[in-house]
Amino acid sequence: MLRRTIRGLVTVGMAACLIGIMPAVAFAHVKVTSDTATQGGYAALTFRVPNERDNASTTKIEVQLPTDTPLASVSVKPHPGWSYEITKTKLAAPIEAHGAQISEVVGQITWTATDSKSGIQPGEYEEFSVSAGPLPNTDRLVFKALQHYSNGEIVRWIQDPSAGGDEPERPAPVLRLVPKGDAASSSSTGTDRVSLAADSAPATGSGVGSSWAVGLSAASLVISLACAATMVVRTRRTR
């Protein structure tokens, strides 16, 4: 009976750890989201940047905007503790927006922490927002991103997620666009709607993500141990 109890304890403990780790996967990648992203319209885009390192903070984020399907108008929302720089790109062929010919568009936005305390600390994430449009008549927009850490490491989120294939190790943020007149006005990011749902969980401050997952895993394991210990004690008493 005691051996069965121990085996049950190990099984339950492993399951609890997996349950706690799974939500952290949703925070693992740089993502772009929008409440409404309809072709031909304007949208507020939010880039969610988690810190994946335990010994370094994220100090700079470079987001490359697509130039094959350019955005004529882009404005950046100021982010406390961070400065931003806009780099423009000259188009090979001008595009028309609101009756005007546009030959130069925003090609990259770089956010930089103003000091060490403003960087994204381990176990935290930040969200950077822009307003952009008109959105092109395409099913998706790919935003390649570079994440800089305080230890000099650069993580390149630039791999194009292939349709129907496995997600690459470093996928670029992808924004799904809704066709004009489509009743489903919300958009999903990446290749997994479950990840977006997990990312949308309410949070207090920015110290969520992996820390929350670790806390849940630890709490589940403690409860499992307590239950197993109770079973052992009762088994001994009945002998």
Side-chain angles (χ1 to χ4, degrees):
M1 185 65 181
L2 180 58
R3 291 180 179 178
R4 290 181 181 177
T5 301
I6 293 175
R7 285 199 298 266
L9 169 62
V10 173
T11 302
V12 174
M14 291 178 63
C17 290
L18 288 174
I19 292 173
I21 290 172
M22 286 176 63
V25 175
F27 287 89
H29 303 332
V30 174
K31 292 182 177 292
V32 57
T33 61
S34 177
D35 290 338
T36 56
T38 305
Q39 296 172 6
Y42 283 76
L45 312 182
T46 299
F47 295 92
R48 174 168 289 187
V49 183
N51 189 331
E52 294 184 310
R53 300 295 177 262
D54 296 329
N55 58 353
S57 59
T58 297
T59 56
K60 183 165 69 173
I61 292 293
E62 300 176 56
V63 175
Q64 300 173 11
L65 279 65
T67 55
D68 54 343
T69 51
L71 298 167
S73 175
V74 176
S75 56
V76 182
K77 181 179 180 179
H79 192 85
W82 292 70
S83 62
Y84 67 87
E85 180 182 359
I86 291 178
T87 302
K88 292 195 173 183
T89 300
K90 193 171 184 61
L91 299 175
I95 59 174
E96 183 175 346
H98 302 295
Q101 293 292 314
I102 307 296
S103 59
E104 193 176 55
V105 296
V106 175
Q108 179 173 298
I109 304 173
T110 302
W111 285 275
T112 305
T114 55
D115 53 53
S116 58
K117 293 183 179 180
S118 298
I120 308 174
Q121 305 301 317
E124 299 182 350
Y125 74 91
E126 289 284 1
E127 293 181 336
F128 304 87
S129 300
V130 303
S131 176
L135 300 179
N137 294 322
T138 183
D139 61 342
R140 67 174 191 169
L141 292 176
V142 179
F143 300 86
K144 296 183 178 182
L146 272 63
Q147 184 174 10
H148 296 252
Y149 284 92
S150 57
N151 60 3
E153 180 186 6
I154 300 176
V155 178
R156 304 176 185 276
W157 303 97
I158 61 175
Q159 295 175 296
D160 190 358
S162 57
D166 294 334
E167 185 178 69
E169 182 181 0
R170 301 294 182 189
V174 176
L175 179 71
R176 304 291 180 184
L177 302 185
V178 178
K180 294 179 181 179
D182 196 317
S185 59
S186 62
S187 63
S188 63
T189 60
T191 57
D192 192 354
R193 289 179 181 269
V194 176
S195 295
L196 177 58
D199 282 352
S200 300
T204 302
S206 57
V208 297
S210 58
S211 294
W212 178 86
V214 172
L216 176 60
S217 179
S220 301
L221 186 57
V222 169
I223 293 174
S224 300
L225 289 171
C227 293
T230 301
M231 292 173 61
V232 171
V233 172
R234 289 181 178 177
T235 300
R236 290 179 176 177
R237 288 179 177 177
T238 56
R239 289 182 177 178

